[in-house]
């Protein structure tokens, strides 16, 4: 094969990298905001152009071929180089003040914290367009062409990135007044065993999310709930709690509105664990587009107001 006949595109490489990271075409297409058919076609064309098979495909699994393993890192390097060129071109044209900013965050976080800010962003910064990827999976910013990630918890294992804390929040255990009217309020974490619990089941692992709390010694602890009701959607968990189904554990930014209007009541407040930080994470690169700097400043000034509930 002549090098001159070998044509590849950055979108094809992005699709290849995304499928490897996601483990399936379906999940990769969801992360990329494309159809599964388009992702499959992009990889097929990449394989045809390269003259090698990159992936083993079967009904239940997908894995790299030997050639795919050898070409994965060069694919990542090519995508990063293309992104660097795009950044430089945008900066040369207008300082990078206009255009698209691609951000990612957990599904519930995007819905409850990011989306309510969109109207004000549109009014104040009409030059900025957002491409929001809501996913509970950790996405590689460079491979996915992501400019900004909004993530809570540990950022270990993410080298080559810059981050700044946006705000902090505790997890809270709550119940609807209607539930507490018929069941005694728990006074200790151990008493949760005697209550109806509503849990979040991680759709990737199948495991019910543990409830963080502080132990009598002041150390952090983790309660493993045995829920009467479990859902793989955080909003469904909260709505079931509000309907009186039982106790649920959620981040304070999700619980804030219902705590203020009285449709939920916090229990075991004295057992709250230490606050969790939400960080704005971006790639460490030579040129930061002005539109990204503007967005970070906009978000920094509009962290959820939780002081009255802390």
């Amino acid at each position: 094969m002549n090098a001159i006949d070998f044509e590849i595109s950055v979108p094809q490489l992005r699709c290849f990298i995304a499928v490897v990271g996601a483990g399936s075409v379906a999940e990769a297409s969801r992360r990329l905001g494309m159809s599964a058919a388009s992702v499959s076609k992009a990889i097929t064309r990449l394989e045809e152009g390269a003259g090698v098979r990159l992936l083993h495909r079967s009904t239940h699994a997908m894995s790299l071929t030997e050639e795919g393993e050898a070409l994965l890192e060069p694919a990542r390097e090519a995508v990063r180089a293309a992104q660097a060129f795009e950044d430089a071109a945008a900066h040369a044209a207008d300082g990078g003040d206009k255009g698209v900013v691609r951000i990612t965050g957990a599904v519930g976080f995007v819905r409850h914290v990011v989306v309510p800010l969109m109207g004000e962003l549109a009014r104040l910064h009409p030059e900025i367009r957002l491409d929001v990827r809501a996913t509970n999976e950790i996405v590689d910013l460079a491979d996915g062409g992501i400019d900004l990630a909004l993530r809570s918890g540990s950022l270990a294992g993410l080298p080559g990135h810059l981050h700044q804390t946006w705000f902090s929040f505790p997890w809270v255990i709550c119940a609807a007044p209607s539930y507490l009217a018929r069941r005694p309020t728990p006074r200790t974490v151990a008493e949760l065993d005697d209550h109806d619990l509503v849990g979040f089941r991680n759709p990737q692992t199948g495991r019910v999310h543990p409830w963080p709390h502080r132990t009598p010694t002041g150390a952090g602890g983790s309660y493993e709930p045995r829920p009467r009701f479990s859902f793989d959607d955080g909003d469904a968990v909260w709505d079931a709690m509000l309907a009186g189904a039982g106790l649920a554990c959620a981040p304070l930014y999700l619980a804030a509105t219902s705590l203020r209007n009285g449709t939920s009541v916090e229990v075991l407040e004295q057992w709250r664990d230490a606050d969790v930080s939400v960080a704005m994470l971006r790639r460490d690169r030579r040129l930061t587009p002005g539109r990204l700097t503007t967005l970070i400043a906009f978000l920094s000034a509009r962290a959820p107001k939780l002081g009255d509930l802390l």
Side-chain angles (χ1 to χ4, degrees):
M1 177 180 64
N2 271 320
I4 197 170
D5 297 326
F6 180 22
E7 295 185 1
I8 63 172
S9 70
V10 173
Q12 289 171 358
L13 294 175
R14 284 199 197 282
C15 288
F16 170 48
I17 294 166
V19 168
V20 174
S24 72
V25 169
E27 177 61 19
S29 64
R30 188 182 69 80
R31 295 183 186 182
L32 292 169
M34 301 171 60
S35 70
S38 296
V39 172
S40 292
K41 184 179 292 185
I43 293 176
T44 297
R45 287 177 175 172
L46 180 61
E47 290 177 325
E48 290 173 349
V52 296
R53 182 170 292 278
L54 301 171
L55 297 167
H56 293 299
R57 301 169 178 83
S58 69
T59 304
H60 302 292
M62 183 169 291
S63 61
L64 285 166
T65 63
E66 183 177 347
E67 293 80 6
E69 289 182 359
L71 293 173
L72 179 59
E73 189 54 36
R76 286 174 170 150
E77 291 174 359
V79 168
R80 291 175 187 134
Q83 186 66 56
F85 178 85
E86 181 181 326
D87 293 344
H91 198 273
D94 58 13
D97 295 334
K98 300 178 181 179
V100 178
V101 179
R102 299 175 179 86
I103 71 174
T104 184
V107 176
F109 185 86
V110 167
R111 182 178 293 128
H112 293 281
V113 178
V114 177
V115 170
L117 300 175
M118 294 301 95
E120 188 177 8
L121 179 67
R123 290 192 300 273
L124 295 178
H125 300 289
E127 75 282 4
I128 294 177
R129 292 181 291 129
L130 285 192
D131 180 355
V132 183
R133 314 289 176 84
T135 175
N136 293 328
E137 299 298 309
I138 300 297
V139 177
D140 185 288
L141 273 62
D143 290 350
I146 301 296
D147 299 300
L148 187 69
L150 307 173
R151 288 295 174 193
S152 61
S154 172
L155 299 177
L158 292 172
H161 296 85
L162 302 176
H163 71 273
Q164 64 187 71
T165 299
W166 185 11
F167 66 95
S168 298
F169 67 90
W171 285 77
V172 294
I173 300 173
C174 299
S178 61
Y179 177 83
L180 295 177
R182 68 178 191 271
R183 301 290 292 273
T185 300
R187 303 299 178 187
T188 67
V189 173
E191 291 181 14
L192 293 174
D193 291 343
D194 301 322
H195 280 268
D196 293 336
L197 307 180
V198 187
F200 172 74
R201 187 178 299 280
N202 186 306
Q204 276 72 46
T205 66
R207 181 171 177 244
V208 174
H209 195 283
W211 294 6
H213 66 86
R214 192 178 299 277
T215 67
T217 63
S222 181
Y223 175 75
E224 299 290 341
R226 291 174 294 177
R228 181 176 180 184
F229 306 99
S230 60
F231 300 87
D232 62 1
D233 175 79
D235 279 356
V237 171
W238 197 246
D239 288 345
M241 181 280 297
L242 292 175
L247 299 163
C249 184
L252 184 57
Y253 62 77
L254 172 59
T257 297
S258 64
L259 287 172
R260 289 180 179 126
N261 65 27
T263 54
S264 72
V265 177
E266 183 179 1
V267 302
L268 301 176
E269 181 176 354
Q270 71 275 25
W271 298 90
R272 281 185 184 179
D273 197 7
D275 288 357
V276 178
S277 295
V278 175
M280 292 187 280
L281 189 71
R282 61 185 175 88
R283 283 175 285 140
D284 186 3
R285 54 190 183 183
R286 187 171 62 87
L287 295 174
T288 298
R291 58 185 179 274
L292 177 56
T293 302
T294 298
L295 178 63
I296 290 173
F298 173 86
L299 294 175
S300 296
R302 289 162 182 82
K305 293 179 172 58
L306 304 174
D308 60 313
L309 298 171
L310 295 175

